[in-house]
Amino acid sequence: MKHQQVLDKLAAKGHVRALDEELARWVHWQMVTPLPSHEELTRDVVTPVLTRWRCLLDSEEARPATRNVVRVALATLLHKYGFQDPAVTAAAVEAVDALNRDVVLSDAFARRSDDIKRLLCSAPVPLTRRPGSPRSLTFLRPGDVLSIELGGRFHAAYVWKVHGLNETPVIEFYAGTFAQPPTLADLADGEAARPGGRARFGVDGLTYLPDPANQVRAVAAGQDQGPRGGEPGPGQGLYTLSDVMTLQRNMADLFGGEIPGSGS
């Protein structure tokens, strides 16, 4: 059975497309430098992907069927790009059974379930060349205010501009973290997380809103005022180049703490 045959049966084109784009871009950049061992490369690829998508997989707001479909898609796409995580694979196998038990997908999916499980449990073939990196695209707009989750805490960010033809948003984080997605009232007259433009990032791959991974949420749109005090001074860079996966490391550095580890 082929990976695309599995993905086509999941009836979740938006989630599959977003996951595929993010993995292609992330694996592409991880393979630019001289490759570490495959075990190290697997860790470097898988951990931030799981951290981001856990915002959906652990969410009580998301439908169980959606979470199970994404579990299967995640294991399938990791396998497609030559990676495997035992916890992810085990969760996907359980998700296949749950999807069949709840009659969520088609008869074709149910008939091929054993083949799907065999594919996911088989040893993946490591890539010998970098996958193509998809063009950066964003549906965010200047003046958008966002909530971005990391490790169960929520951080607010403001979209200052979008570079290119709807390509790369430049965001700036507000100071402070929140136990739940902040409201616009929580951010009234809010200051930047750090002065001198050090809380500003140009983020490739920050594409969709609503975010399929449930990590990024809309707080407000069309706001004229962003965080105060973050304007870069003479000789300081305007912003730091990043991407949707590396942004999690940027956030951990900015607000303190560690990126959560992998798991199911």
Side-chain angles (χ1 to χ4, degrees):
M1 193 167 194
K2 305 296 185 183
H3 298 103
Q4 193 58 49
Q5 291 176 295
V6 180
L7 299 173
D8 288 343
K9 290 176 172 58
L10 294 179
K13 291 183 178 179
H15 289 88
V16 169
R17 179 175 62 247
L19 254 173
D20 201 0
E21 290 171 352
E22 290 181 12
L23 271 168
R25 180 182 294 107
W26 186 232
V27 173
H28 175 94
W29 288 112
Q30 292 302 301
M31 295 179 68
V32 167
T33 56
L35 294 181
S37 70
H38 190 68
E39 291 76 13
E40 292 174 309
L41 181 60
T42 298
R43 181 199 62 218
D44 292 344
V45 166
V46 172
T47 299
V49 173
L50 290 182
T51 297
R52 173 165 154 70
W53 283 84
R54 186 174 286 112
C55 299
L56 173 71
L57 296 176
D58 290 351
S59 172
E60 296 182 356
E61 300 173 5
R63 295 173 58 241
T66 300
R67 299 199 301 266
N68 282 327
V69 164
V70 169
R71 288 185 178 103
V72 178
L74 176 59
T76 303
L77 285 165
L78 284 174
H79 198 279
K80 168 186 171 181
Y81 288 107
F83 303 100
Q84 195 173 58
D85 179 273
V88 171
T89 301
V93 169
E94 291 182 5
V96 170
D97 292 336
L99 290 167
N100 288 330
R101 184 177 61 249
D102 297 336
V103 198
V104 173
L105 300 177
S106 65
D107 289 342
F109 179 86
R111 286 195 302 270
R112 300 301 301 273
S113 291
D114 288 342
D115 295 330
I116 293 170
K117 293 178 186 178
R118 277 193 291 271
L119 173 66
L120 297 182
C121 293
S122 66
V125 179
L127 298 181
T128 58
R129 58 188 299 179
R130 286 183 292 158
S133 180
R135 167 181 170 264
S136 188
L137 174 69
T138 188
F139 295 105
L140 303 182
R141 294 292 180 267
D144 285 347
V145 181
L146 312 172
S147 168
I148 305 179
E149 183 180 354
L150 182 67
R153 300 292 297 177
F154 297 87
H155 309 75
Y158 179 83
V159 180
W160 282 107
K161 64 179 70 175
V162 174
H163 281 306
L165 186 61
N166 298 333
E167 292 177 3
T168 304
V170 176
I171 68 173
E172 181 171 25
F173 284 98
Y174 290 84
T177 63
F178 303 85
Q180 58 190 12
T183 66
L184 199 58
D186 293 328
L187 306 173
D189 297 320
E191 296 184 353
R194 285 186 186 171
R198 288 178 293 167
R200 295 190 180 191
F201 302 89
V203 190
D204 283 343
L206 191 55
T207 302
Y208 302 104
L209 203 63
D211 176 20
N214 204 40
Q215 185 179 38
V216 182
R217 309 184 192 200
V219 174
Q223 300 301 304
D224 295 329
Q225 180 65 49
R228 295 184 293 105
E231 296 79 7
Q236 294 175 321
L238 297 178
Y239 55 87
T240 299
L241 288 173
S242 189
D243 61 76
V244 72
M245 296 299 174
T246 308
L247 184 66
Q248 298 173 124
R249 169 53 57 197
N250 300 141
M251 292 169 66
D253 292 342
L254 189 61
F255 293 98
E258 292 294 326
I259 296 177
S262 65
S264 61

